Amino acid sequence: EAPTELVTAATIEGEGKAVEEGDQVFAQYSGWLWDGTQFDSSWGGTPFLTAIGTGQVIQGWDQGLVGKTVGSQVLLVIPAELGYGEQGSGGRVPPNATLIFVVDILDSAGTL
């Protein structure tokens, strides 16, 4: 049964600074649907850069990465309402999908 609330777990605890709301974060990540289908990954390319806690990414990332430290690997299990919701995303993520992400926090540049 897919969880109905955000689940976060650091599978590796980094020793860097904690990510704060508004920080620019460099990360590598992979994303899967609850059924195990991979729908996205930044691995093999340039690390993903985004501001956390500002609405630039899905709410599950905004909520789940704040407080995690640079160097951490974080598992996020994101219910649909904190992901892409009823609309899904570009054919890759169906409506009302529970998402699983593994996010490696490489660096945080603070607020830019």
Side-chain angles (χ1 to χ4, degrees), residues 4-105:
T4 58
E5 301 203 10
L6 177 65
V7 175
T8 65
T11 58
I12 298 172
E13 293 279 348
E15 297 182 10
K17 95 174 208 48
V19 174
E20 297 178 24
E21 194 168 299
D23 281 357
Q24 295 285 324
V25 171
F26 294 90
Q28 292 283 22
Y29 70 90
S30 292
W32 293 269
L33 302 176
W34 183 251
D35 69 4
T37 303
Q38 187 173 22
F39 67 88
D40 198 8
S41 181
S42 68
W43 285 100
T46 303
F48 182 60
L49 170 64
T50 190
I52 296 298
T54 64
Q56 290 186 9
V57 289
I58 58 175
Q59 291 179 40
W61 275 51
D62 278 346
Q63 294 177 19
L65 296 182
V66 169
K68 301 298 187 269
T69 54
V70 171
S72 293
Q73 182 176 78
V74 182
L75 172 68
L76 301 171
V77 182
I78 303 173
E81 62 270 10
L82 298 177
Y84 296 103
E86 294 179 1
Q87 73 276 4
S89 177
R92 298 179 304 160
V93 177
N96 300 310
T98 298
L99 307 175
I100 302 167
F101 283 94
V102 175
V103 181
D104 287 12
I105 303 172

